[in-house]
Amino acid sequence: MHFFSDNATPVCPEVMAAIAAADRADHGYDGDQWSARLNGAFSDLFGTPVEALWIATGTAANSIALACLCPPYGGVLCHEEAHVVVDECGAPGFYTHGASLMALPGNGAKLSPDAVSERVKMIRPDVHQVPARAISITQATEYGLAYTPDEVAALGAVAQGQGLGFHMDGARFANAVAHLGCHPGDVTWRAGVDILSFGCVKNGGMMGEALVFFGDQAQVRSAEAARWRKRGGHLLSKGRYLAAQILAMVEDGLWLRNARTANAAAQTLARGALAAGTEERLMHPVEANELFIRLTAEEAAALRAQGFDFYDWGEGAARLVTNWSQDAASVQPLAEALRALKA
């Protein structure tokens, strides 16, 4: 049983069917009927007029979003363990033509308004220092925690007060919203977010993410992002196949159904881990589809010997990731194996 990553999962049937349905002649690039429906579909989803673009990868989505918010001489305030910092091979700097990532600490990979405000205060208003121009947060975070609407709004208030753009890396946005039980608008545009990278691949898609632009600058930024997409080699000639996948996710609630299934599987594993000992077995609360648990080398080897695959997460720890194709019953064997571990 594989718990490496939700990137390694199969494509969900609804998405595969949507790809097949789009397999006929239409206009190239983003001039097709599926791409033309993205703005309306996401406007309905978020309850406000938006602009939306398909993007081939999450790395390109995040980097292009930041390029729309931050000039080459500016800086992006983000968590020190954010994906844009540690897992994208300098792509944000590549797309922004040199903007700096201003990495900050925070519990559970969350940024706090105070930390952001204090960092901004340290920057002299002269030409010798990099000025902050944007904030970027991950929803859910790199440790599987969900920013609440109030937490996002507090950062949004800082962004507005300091004149900063506000980007959200939503690779697991669906899992966060499923956990919070809120309207997707409550943790995005109502809370001050300017651009959302809306994840699909981790949630059952084959390929393709979406950039969603909010507010009175949505059209301008979307047009700029379209230029970055072309210049970066991400304007696919048959983009309808990406648009069709995204529409299959958002038009009838598949994005939330898949996320709820993955989250429920994670909760089953969390109960097994807690039953194996004290609460210290879990390194962080389980709020999405990731678990970070303390395991000795011997315990990890024992689990792998039973056929369970996962990543080590530093010495004495492991990460387990569930996905849309694993319901609570299917992950029960691992839950039982965790429960059998000694405290």
Side-chain angles (χ1 to χ4, degrees), residues 56-131:
T57 70
T59 295
N62 289 337
S63 302
I64 289 173
L66 295 179
C68 291
L69 296 175
C70 187
Y73 58 82
V76 179
L77 295 150
C78 52
H79 194 273
E80 62 190 2
E81 295 187 69
H83 204 273
V84 294
V85 175
V86 300
D87 283 306
E88 291 183 342
C89 197
F94 173 80
Y95 274 92
T96 60
H97 289 187
S100 300
L101 297 179
M102 298 174 165
L104 300 172
N107 293 332
K110 281 187 176 183
L111 281 186
S112 73
D114 288 345
V116 172
S117 296
E118 287 302 313
R119 182 66 180 86
V120 173
K121 287 180 183 178
M122 294 171 60
I123 302 171
R124 298 194 310 268
D126 59 43
V127 299
H128 299 285
Q129 293 199 316
V130 173

Side-chain angles (χ1 to χ4, degrees), residues 6-7 9 56 199-209 245 249:
D6 38 12
N7 287 321
T9 63
C200 292
V201 171
K202 286 179 168 63
N203 202 25
M206 177 184 288
M207 57 183 296
E209 315 282 82
Q245 293 176 61
M249 283 282 183

Side-chain angles (χ1 to χ4, degrees), residues 12-292:
C12 69
E14 295 90 339
V15 168
M16 195 69 80
I19 294 171
D23 193 26
R24 52 191 173 88
D26 205 302
H27 293 285
Y29 304 106
D30 57 1
D32 59 275
Q33 60 181 290
W34 292 270
S35 298
R37 283 162 46 197
L38 289 177
N39 287 353
F42 278 104
S43 294
D44 290 343
L45 181 66
F46 286 96
T48 190
V50 306
E51 297 286 321
L53 292 176
W54 49 256
I55 302 286
T57 70
T59 295
N62 289 337
S63 302
I64 289 173
L66 295 179
C68 291
L69 296 175
C70 187
Y73 58 82
V76 179
L77 295 150
C78 52
H79 194 273
E80 62 190 2
E81 295 187 69
H83 204 273
V84 294
V85 175
V86 300
D87 283 306
E88 291 183 342
C89 197
F94 173 80
Y95 274 92
T96 60
H97 289 187
S100 300
L101 297 179
M102 298 174 165
L104 300 172
N107 293 332
K110 281 187 176 183
L111 281 186
S112 73
D114 288 345
V116 172
S117 296
E118 287 302 313
R119 182 66 180 86
V120 173
K121 287 180 183 178
M122 294 171 60
I123 302 171
R124 298 194 310 268
D126 59 43
V127 299
H128 299 285
Q129 293 199 316
V130 173
R133 287 291 182 262
I135 298 172
S136 180
I137 63 174
T138 311
Q139 178 76 306
T141 76
E142 282 69 24
Y143 285 105
L145 302 184
Y147 284 92
T148 66
D150 287 346
E151 288 174 326
V152 180
L155 287 164
V158 173
Q160 183 176 22
Q162 299 291 341
L164 307 175
F166 194 3
H167 165 251
M168 177 178 284
D169 174 357
R172 295 186 176 95
F173 180 75
N175 302 95
V177 173
H179 167 75
L180 294 167
C182 66
H183 189 279
D186 293 342
V187 285
T188 52
W189 64 273
R190 292 192 184 102
V193 172
D194 295 306
I195 308 177
L196 167 69
S197 302
F198 185 94
C200 292
V201 171
K202 286 179 168 63
N203 202 25
M206 177 184 288
M207 57 183 296
E209 315 282 82
L211 276 178
V212 185
F213 300 83
F214 305 103
D216 56 7
Q217 294 295 306
Q219 288 188 334
V220 172
R221 287 169 173 157
S222 175
E224 185 176 355
R227 299 275 186 184
W228 282 115
R229 182 177 65 175
K230 173 61 177 176
R231 192 171 190 270
H234 286 272
L235 180 59
L236 304 187
S237 61
K238 296 181 181 179
R240 64 185 180 275
Y241 294 102
L242 275 67
Q245 293 176 61
I246 296 166
L247 291 172
M249 283 282 183
V250 303
E251 286 190 326
D252 71 347
L254 178 64
W255 69 290
L256 267 184
R257 293 196 300 275
N258 280 358
R260 286 170 180 151
T261 298
N263 287 8
Q267 289 299 321
T268 297
L269 296 183
R271 288 190 291 272
L274 288 174
T278 65
E279 290 188 3
E280 281 69 33
R281 176 72 73 175
L282 288 175
M283 299 170 64
H284 300 281
V286 179
E287 296 180 352
N289 65 320
E290 295 180 285
L291 294 87
F292 296 84

